[in-house]
Amino acid sequence: MWNPFKKKISPTEAYQSNFFLAFDFIPMVVGLYNDRKLEEQTLSDIKNWKGFINNRLKPNMKFDWDNTVVSTTDVNNNPDRFIVLIRFSNPYTMAAAKAGLIVGSRKIHHARFFTLECSIGGNMICECVGKNHSNFGITLPDSDDLTSFLMAVLKIVDKENPKKSNSNLSILYFYMKSKMTENQDALLRKTPLKLPVKRVNLDEDEVLQTKYNIRVWPVFVLVDSNGKELHRWQGLTKGQKINDYITENF
């Protein structure tokens, strides 16, 4: 219902909330889902987001929830895949996210988050993984119809997900000398990883620590031959869990 006494959100406030949702909060929620700390419903139920943000994260930040639209669907009759499409509220200023798309797999409990960002001459498709932000070099014409965004992202996911040779993959194992690392090493002795592993001591390698935004340990980062991050596991992790993911996806 229209409320004539409701204070409007200023363009500056709208941009700040857009940036927070698209590049901070949603990537964090997706990361928690991938770590199996949240369930699929949290990704698709905007009421959960509102409560989480208002009560715990940004109580003073104003959000245009009335004009932020979240819809969910399964694609191509695939019961394993779920999609959450987010249409962010106006104004769409330069570099702001016009829309977001979460593409998830129920089978392996893993999701990816893509953004459609305002740019010169159209909107560009990017992916957010934690604090990392990747541009695919794909620009779409500006349109309120998000179908082309949806189809372009699914094409990216399907191109990268089919099983392929994993000979160009490796795992970075970030650690520090601690009891936690001893416990992690014990888990790996029980089930060794099926890919080459490079151990990275956080006390000695600040370059990789900064590149992959490592703030805790242990962390396993799956990378390709170019060093691009494909997936990560944070905290004590069984080797079988990592191997199962690699088998399912590569």
Side-chain angles (χ1 to χ4, degrees):
M1 178 180 293
W2 177 67
N3 183 354
F5 302 104
K6 184 176 180 180
K7 185 178 179 180
K8 293 183 178 181
I9 299 176
S10 71
T12 300
E13 290 172 331
Y15 176 78
Q16 290 176 339
S17 62
N18 177 294
F19 189 91
F20 173 74
L21 284 175
F23 306 122
D24 191 347
F25 183 71
I26 297 178
M28 181 194 73
V29 172
V30 171
L32 290 173
Y33 172 80
N34 292 342
D35 290 338
R36 297 180 181 268
K37 295 178 181 178
L38 293 176
E39 296 303 320
E40 178 185 334
Q41 182 181 2
T42 307
L43 301 180
S44 58
D45 187 354
I46 196 170
K47 293 180 180 179
N48 282 334
W49 297 10
K50 292 168 66 175
F52 196 3
I53 292 174
N54 294 336
N55 296 331
R56 298 180 60 181
L57 292 178
K58 294 288 182 179
N60 298 320
M61 185 173 284
K62 297 180 180 179
F63 297 91
D64 188 3
W65 292 113
D66 293 339
N67 294 305
T68 301
V69 181
V70 180
S71 56
T72 62
T73 185
D74 293 334
V75 176
N76 297 330
N77 297 318
N78 184 348
D80 174 53
R81 175 178 287 175
F82 67 88
I83 286 177
V84 182
L85 180 63
I86 307 107
R87 184 189 296 272
F88 296 106
S89 61
N90 274 309
Y92 301 131
T93 56
M94 188 63 64
K98 184 173 184 177
L101 187 66
I102 299 172
V103 181
S105 168
R106 297 184 176 100
K107 186 174 183 180
I108 61 174
H109 208 281
H110 182 265
R112 299 172 65 180
F113 177 58
F114 301 84
T115 53
L116 184 66
E117 301 174 21
C118 300
S119 181
I120 298 175
N123 301 309
M124 61 183 182
I125 298 177
C126 300
E127 181 175 11
C128 298
V129 181
K131 296 294 184 179
N132 297 320
H133 191 251
S134 302
N135 186 342
F136 286 94
I138 300 173
T139 301
L140 301 177
D142 189 29
S143 172
D144 289 333
D145 186 353
L146 299 179
T147 302
S148 58
F149 172 49
L150 171 63
M151 300 310 296
V153 169
L154 292 180
K155 186 176 180 179
I156 291 171
V157 173
D158 289 338
K159 182 179 179 180
E160 295 180 354
N161 276 352
K163 294 191 176 182
K164 51 191 174 183
S165 170
N166 57 32
S167 60
N168 65 333
L169 304 179
S170 61
I171 293 176
L172 302 177
Y173 171 19
F174 292 90
Y175 73 96
M176 292 183 72
K177 293 182 179 180
S178 65
K179 183 64 177 177
M180 179 85 74
T181 298
E182 293 177 7
N183 293 337
Q184 179 62 72
D185 289 343
L187 291 175
L188 295 181
R189 283 194 293 271
K190 291 181 179 180
T191 309
L193 300 182
K194 63 193 302 182
L195 291 178
V197 178
K198 177 181 179 179
R199 295 175 67 96
V200 182
N201 189 329
L202 294 174
D203 285 327
E204 300 174 356
D205 196 328
E206 293 185 3
V207 174
L208 288 179
Q209 179 182 2
T210 301
K211 178 179 179 179
Y212 293 100
N213 193 37
I214 306 299
R215 300 188 179 184
V216 298
W217 78 91
V219 174
F220 296 90
V221 180
L222 175 65
V223 297
D224 63 16
S225 58
N226 296 316
K228 177 184 176 181
E229 178 177 339
L230 304 176
H231 190 64
R232 72 168 56 195
W233 298 263
Q234 184 170 297
L236 288 175
T237 307
K238 293 182 178 179
Q240 190 61 52
K241 178 180 179 180
I242 297 175
N243 289 340
D244 286 346
Y245 177 86
I246 294 168
T247 299
E248 289 286 346
N249 292 276
F250 301 97

